[in-house]
């Protein structure tokens, strides 16, 4: 009889606790109990899509529920990102972003149909991928100092290609020009692949691209690397100095890749997702995969990622404003 009474009291206490528990905490306690969608603002293929799927696999292993990729490309990533902003804030729709997320506020301004800093909840910065400045072998320079000297001696004659106005490589070149006080020409393309093909063919003198994209061309001697944009040297290119080491600090343009959610997702769910990603990114299989792919694993807290996003938005707004860059 006493055992039944204790059981009944325990059940009542549990019901009372559930009734008193805030809705967000109650949802988080059960999360995830169904498939989670990861919006990727690009077509399938490419670095951001690959990392989004890798993040989904890590979350699936950690949380025991399916995380599926939902590719929504177009609009310079704004279509997929807007869809994420408009999703229910319940944790069952999250998104993958890259540097376009922090560039678009400065590039598009009032034309952007969401607020980058208010409509989303950062989850974790997964990785960065430094750019490397390369020149065609026909350009008679051997290091950053001689490159800058040549550019200053012949204003407007050196040109670089990129995947388009407002792309990461374009703004890397613009930031270099602003920091070094040089006058170089930008040649926008419709995609990154053609840029590398034409650079290898000597159609223009230099370019920025991620280390994984260019590592083999550098090692084969088809391109000459001058500096990387990260705070420390890239493991794949240990002999290539950073811009700071080469004498020009302030050219930090490493693309970022991370997971965000719509604003309003309960903080316990955000923290649960972030903790799972941090654990996966910082050690084990995912860490090894990212490193092999040429990325620098990070695995940040939500607060750290939020600060990084704010800093990046401010930086690119200043670069775009100073360069008087207008979207195509």
């Amino acid at each position: 009889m006493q055992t039944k009474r204790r059981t009944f009291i325990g059940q009542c206490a549990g019901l009372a606790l559930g009734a008193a528990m805030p809705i967000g905490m109650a949802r988080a306690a059960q999360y995830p109990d169904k498939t989670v969608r990861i919006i990727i603002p690009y077509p399938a293929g490419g670095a951001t899509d690959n990392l989004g799927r890798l993040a989904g696999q890590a979350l699936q292993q950690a949380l025991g529920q399916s995380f599926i990729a939902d590719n929504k490309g177009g609009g310079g990533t704004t279509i997929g990102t807007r869809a994420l902003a408009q999703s229910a804030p319940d944790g069952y729709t999250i998104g993958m972003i890259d540097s376009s997320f922090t560039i678009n506020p400065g590039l598009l301004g009032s034309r952007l149909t969401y607020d980058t800093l208010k409509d989303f909840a950062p989850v974790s910065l997964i990785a960065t991928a430094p750019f490397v400045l390369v020149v065609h072998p026909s350009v008679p320079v051997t290091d950053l100092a001689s490159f800058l000297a040549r550019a200053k001696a012949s204003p407007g004659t050196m040109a670089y290609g990129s995947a388009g106005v407002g792309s990461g490589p374009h703004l890397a070149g613009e930031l270099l020009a602003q920091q070094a006080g040089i006058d170089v020409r930008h040649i926008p393309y419709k995609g990154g692949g053609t840029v590398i093909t034409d650079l290898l063919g000597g159609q223009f003198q230099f370019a920025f691209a991620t280390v994984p994209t260019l590592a083999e061309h550098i090692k084969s001697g088809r391109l000459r690397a001058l500096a990387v944009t990260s705070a420390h040297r890239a493991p794949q290119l240990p002999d290539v100095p950073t811009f700071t080491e080469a004498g020009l600090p302030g050219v930090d343009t490493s693309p970022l890749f991370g997971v965000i959610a719509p604003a309003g997702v309960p903080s316990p769910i955000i923290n649960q997702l972030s903790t799972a990603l941090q654990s996966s990114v910082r050690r084990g299989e995912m860490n090894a995969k990212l490193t092999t792919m040429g990325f620098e694993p990070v695995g940040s807290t939500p607060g750290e990622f939020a600060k990084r996003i704010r800093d990046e938005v401010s930086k690119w707004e200043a670069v775009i404003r100073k360069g008087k860059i207008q979207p195509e």
Side-chain angles (χ1 to χ4, degrees):
M1 192 70 179
Q2 289 179 346
T3 301
K4 290 182 178 178
R5 184 171 180 273
R6 284 196 297 268
T7 301
F8 176 73
I9 292 172
Q11 290 172 341
C12 290
L15 289 170
L17 181 60
M21 185 182 297
I23 293 175
M25 291 181 63
R27 290 175 180 168
Q30 303 168 6
Y31 179 85
D33 61 4
K34 62 181 181 180
T35 297
V36 179
R37 184 169 58 124
I38 305 178
I39 293 179
I40 301 173
Y42 289 95
T48 306
D49 178 63
N50 290 337
L51 263 68
R53 293 171 187 274
L54 194 60
Q57 293 170 11
L59 288 169
Q60 183 168 317
Q61 291 175 0
L63 302 180
Q65 190 55 258
S66 296
F67 284 73
I68 61 169
D70 182 4
N71 296 92
K72 291 185 179 297
T77 75
T78 62
I79 292 175
T81 308
R82 181 175 64 247
L84 178 63
Q86 296 171 344
S87 298
D90 56 8
Y92 289 95
T93 303
I94 59 178
M96 188 73 194
I97 62 165
D98 59 16
S99 291
S100 293
F101 183 75
T102 60
I103 290 171
N104 282 336
L107 187 66
L108 300 177
S110 61
R111 283 169 285 184
L112 205 58
T113 55
Y114 51 82
D115 189 315
T116 301
L117 300 180
K118 294 181 179 179
D119 291 345
F120 305 94
V123 174
S124 184
L125 173 59
I126 292 176
T128 63
F131 281 137
V132 56
L133 168 63
V134 294
V135 295
H136 188 269
S138 63
V139 182
V141 300
T142 56
D143 54 23
L144 183 62
S146 57
F147 171 87
L148 295 179
R150 183 176 179 82
K152 290 179 180 179
S154 305
T157 60
M158 295 188 70
Y160 70 104
S162 84
V165 173
S167 65
H170 170 209
L171 295 186
E174 179 64 31
L175 182 58
L176 169 63
Q178 292 180 11
Q179 293 290 326
I182 58 176
D183 178 13
V184 293
R185 292 185 295 111
H186 172 233
I187 304 174
Y189 281 70
K190 295 296 184 182
T194 310
V195 174
I196 304 306
T197 299
D198 281 5
L199 175 61
L200 291 169
Q203 300 300 313
F204 47 87
Q205 289 77 34
F206 71 100
F208 281 91
T210 58
V211 170
T213 301
L214 296 179
E216 291 305 314
H217 297 308
I218 293 167
K219 292 174 182 178
S220 69
R222 299 183 71 191
L223 295 173
R224 183 179 302 129
L226 304 183
V228 294
T229 62
S230 51
H232 50 81
R233 298 191 181 197
Q236 299 91 335
L237 302 172
D239 297 328
V240 180
T242 67
F243 270 88
T244 298
E245 290 175 327
L248 188 65
V251 185
D252 180 4
T253 61
S254 298
L256 53 81
F257 303 86
V259 172
I260 62 174
V265 173
S267 58
I269 291 178
I270 295 294
N271 291 333
Q272 189 176 357
L273 290 167
S274 183
T275 298
L277 285 171
Q278 290 175 58
S279 178
S280 297
V281 169
R282 293 176 181 175
R283 64 186 66 87
E285 183 180 358
M286 187 172 182
N287 180 281
K289 284 183 178 179
L290 289 170
T291 302
T292 300
M293 292 165 67
F295 296 98
E296 296 185 1
V298 180
S300 74
T301 66
E304 290 168 341
F305 193 21
K307 181 181 185 304
R308 179 65 178 268
I309 288 172
R310 290 193 301 270
D311 291 346
E312 290 285 309
V313 168
S314 296
K315 175 175 71 178
W316 293 127
E317 282 179 340
V319 170
I320 290 166
R321 184 169 56 251
K322 185 175 181 179
K324 298 179 181 179
I325 297 170
Q326 298 292 326
E328 293 179 317

